[in-house]
Amino acid sequence: MDTAHASASALAPARAPAHDLTPSRASRTPTRPAAGDVHVWFVRPPRSGSVPRSPGADAGTAADSGLPAPDSGFTAPDSGLSVAELRRVASFARAGDGDVYATAHAALRRLLGGYLGRPPAGLTFVREPCPGCSGPHGRPAVVQTDDAPTLHFSLAHSRGLIAVAVAPRVIGVDVERLPSTGTVEACARALHTRERAELAAVPPEERQAYFGRLWTRKEAYLKALGTGLSRHPRIDYLGADLRRRPARWAVLDLPAGPEHTAAVAVDGARPDRVTVRWLPAHRHGDGPAAPDAAYGSTTDRSPR
């Protein structure tokens, strides 16, 4: 088994309660992750074209998923989205892109509102300083009003899947749909030299999934750094050799189904436990996170 990739067996049901993967009803209010824990939530965005539009609504709004058009008679508190977020939703040329953005940001607000005990619409987001230039475009952060330890988060979305990661330390998450063969060939040149060698050694039929794992690790790490892709992807090695990966960081693959790859990066030692759940799509009237039928998978020692 690839030591840098979690196999299906590593997340299969086990006898110990901590490994129980049977469907369970999640708490109406999520509990903050403990010091050694990471929480990951997956959300399925609406299918492109499946979200009904209210008359006169701008392209890119998401009425059916609880994310109303600015002129639909609903206001930002109904979805939790801010005025700026609603404007961003309406700005997308393709309605499907706006639906995904709206669903992702509504899910983020619901989850963080649940963890922090605050209404989703009452959350304020800021940008930390960029580690490269100190400009106001580093990691996103939520303004906290209590003395509790800082709650860190990261948001990612790709075609067909949204991911939100939450932890008591700096974290980055990425999710990607499996790339085409052409995408792998075109983007492989952006990889670290050792990563390109590893990819070339993989059988052709396995290269799309292997590249997907490499790339999601890389983006999760760069998001956790706060630089994003302004730091060239070939600088850092995130391949199969754990000894060569960046010091002081743990970068972990996540189970994301047969069509996607996903990864998280956390500052410090590898987490003791990673919990993966599914969050139902937002509906009108939902308050803080209410994962009515979340499917949780937990492992005592996180996948490498």
Side-chain angles (χ1 to χ4, degrees):
M1 182 183 73
D2 176 9
T3 58
H5 178 60
S7 69
S9 61
L11 293 161
R15 296 179 183 178
H19 295 266
D20 184 10
L21 304 189
T22 55
S24 60
R25 183 169 292 275
S27 168
R28 299 291 295 185
T29 302
T31 303
R32 284 184 185 233
D37 290 358
V38 167
H39 291 179
V40 178
W41 300 82
F42 286 128
V43 185
R44 291 284 184 197
R47 295 189 303 276
S48 180
S50 67
V51 177
R53 308 283 163 183
S54 57
D58 291 327
T61 59
D64 185 55
S65 49
L67 308 165
D71 60 349
S72 65
F74 292 96
T75 55
D78 292 303
S79 65
L81 297 182
S82 68
V83 172
E85 287 167 330
L86 288 169
R87 287 174 179 162
R88 178 70 185 278
V89 169
S91 72
F92 285 93
R94 294 192 305 174
D97 293 338
D99 294 343
V100 172
Y101 175 92
T103 303
H105 285 261
L108 175 65
R109 284 182 172 273
R110 288 175 61 204
L111 286 166
L112 294 181
Y115 282 114
L116 299 173
R118 295 164 57 191
L123 301 177
T124 300
F125 294 95
V126 296
R127 285 280 186 172
E128 297 178 352
C130 171
C133 67
S134 299
H137 47 260
R139 287 184 298 264
V142 61
V143 176
Q144 297 185 210
T145 57
D146 55 25
D147 295 327
T150 300
L151 188 68
H152 297 271
F153 71 89
S154 184
L155 171 68
H157 51 81
S158 184
R159 288 177 295 162
L161 194 59
I162 295 162
V164 177
V166 180
R169 50 180 160 156
V170 169
I171 189 167
V173 70
D174 189 51
V175 61
E176 300 287 345
R177 193 173 182 88
L178 287 180
S180 67
T181 302
T183 297
V184 173
E185 293 175 354
C187 295
R189 67 192 69 176
L191 296 175
H192 186 280
T193 303
R194 291 182 181 275
E195 293 169 343
R196 292 201 303 270
E198 290 177 11
L199 182 66
V202 171
E205 65 273 13
E206 298 178 16
R207 284 178 189 162
Q208 289 166 271
Y210 197 90
F211 176 86
R213 292 195 294 274
L214 275 172
W215 195 260
T216 51
R217 289 179 209 144
K218 196 171 290 286
E219 286 219 39
Y221 170 67
L222 294 176
K223 289 171 73 174
L225 279 182
T227 63
L229 290 172
S230 66
R231 180 180 173 89
H232 201 286
R234 73 166 59 98
I235 295 175
D236 304 291
Y237 172 83
L238 277 303
D241 189 345
L242 303 182
R243 299 167 300 176
R244 296 182 181 274
R245 291 190 186 179
R248 200 177 64 81
W249 291 90
V251 184
L252 322 168
D253 292 337
L254 297 171
E259 297 181 345
H260 295 82
T261 55
V264 291
V266 290
D267 185 12
R270 197 164 72 239
D272 296 320
R273 179 174 299 187
V274 176
T275 301
V276 179
R277 296 191 180 95
W278 290 83
L279 182 72
H282 177 86
R283 300 292 174 182
H284 287 304
D286 281 352
D292 292 330
Y295 290 75
S297 61
T298 305
T299 152
D300 276 338
R301 195 63 178 165
S302 60
R304 292 181 289 177

